[in-house]
């Protein structure tokens, strides 16, 4: 379990540092060159960048640990396919609650975060069911 936690942690840090943060900074810095006649200059502070980075870091680690928690539940608690179907509603509700707590108050961002969490969950459940079918043979 510790190996999985560490792998997921490092993957989340890699994704955050090399993919997500550069994309967001390029997006926000592109506003200065948006219109030729009007020049916008953002007065940025180092504290704002650090706050943004730290909040994204905490969200990334939280979501990855949520993934590890689901992985632990499915792999190490001897769950059957019937139990997965039974608890699917609970996980969906949990994903919507988590997305509501960590996202801005607009519905679109909550739905997007929930959609991706549900997508990853369903993908993992599908792989888990295939693994169970292979182990039966």
């Amino acid at each position: 379990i510790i190996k999985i936690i560490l792998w997921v942690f490092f993957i989340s840090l890699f994704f955050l540092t090399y993919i997500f943060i550069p994309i967001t900074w390029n997006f926000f810095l592109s506003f200065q060159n948006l219109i030729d006649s009007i020049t916008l200059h953002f007065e940025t502070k180092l504290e704002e960048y650090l706050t943004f980075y730290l909040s994204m870091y905490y969200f990334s680690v939280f979501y990855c640990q949520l993934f590890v928690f689901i992985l632990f539940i499915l792999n190490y608690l001897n769950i059957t396919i019937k139990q997965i179907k039974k608890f699917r509603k609970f996980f969906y509700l949990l994903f919507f609650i988590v997305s509501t707590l960590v996202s801005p108050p607009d519905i679109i961002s909550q739905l997007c975060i929930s959609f991706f969490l549900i997508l990853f969950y369903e993908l993992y459940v599908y792989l888990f069911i295939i693994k169970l079918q292979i182990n039966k043979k």
Side-chain angles (χ1 to χ4, degrees):
I1 295 174
I2 293 175
K3 286 181 185 179
I4 294 171
I5 290 172
L6 288 175
W7 272 102
V8 169
F9 176 74
F10 287 123
I11 289 171
S12 70
L13 282 181
F14 176 79
F15 176 76
L16 178 72
T17 305
Y18 293 108
I19 296 172
F20 184 73
I21 295 294
I23 289 172
T24 56
W25 282 355
N26 286 334
F27 173 76
F28 288 122
L29 290 175
S30 70
F31 283 120
Q32 291 181 359
N33 301 327
L34 187 62
I35 301 172
D36 292 331
S37 63
I38 301 173
T39 304
L40 297 174
H41 294 284
F42 289 111
E43 298 287 329
T44 57
K45 299 177 195 171
L46 184 59
E47 179 185 356
E48 292 174 359
Y49 282 124
L50 290 176
T51 303
F52 176 72
Y53 183 79
L54 285 175
S55 64
M56 289 298 110
Y57 169 78
Y58 290 136
F59 287 144
S60 175
V61 169
F62 174 74
Y63 280 131
C64 290
Q65 297 310 316
L66 183 66
F67 174 75
V68 170
F69 175 71
I70 292 170
L71 183 122
F72 174 75
I73 287 174
L74 292 176
N75 278 340
Y76 298 108
L77 295 181
N78 295 328
I79 292 181
T80 63
I81 297 173
K82 284 185 179 183
Q83 291 171 333
I84 290 173
K85 289 180 182 179
K86 180 181 178 184
F87 288 114
R88 181 174 281 167
K89 293 181 238 176
F90 170 73
F91 279 114
Y92 282 13
L93 179 64
L94 178 72
F95 293 147
F96 279 108
I97 290 172
V98 166
S99 67
T100 303
L101 292 175
V102 299
S103 70
D106 68 296
I107 295 175
I108 294 173
S109 64
Q110 293 173 358
L111 289 176
C112 288
I113 292 172
S114 298
F115 172 74
F116 284 112
L117 287 173
I118 290 170
L119 181 73
F120 287 130
Y121 171 75
E122 289 297 328
L123 178 67
Y124 188 75
V125 166
Y126 180 70
L127 294 174
F128 180 73
I129 290 172
I130 290 174
K131 179 183 165 189
L132 284 178
Q133 296 298 329
I134 291 173
N135 287 341
K136 279 186 178 180
K137 293 178 182 181

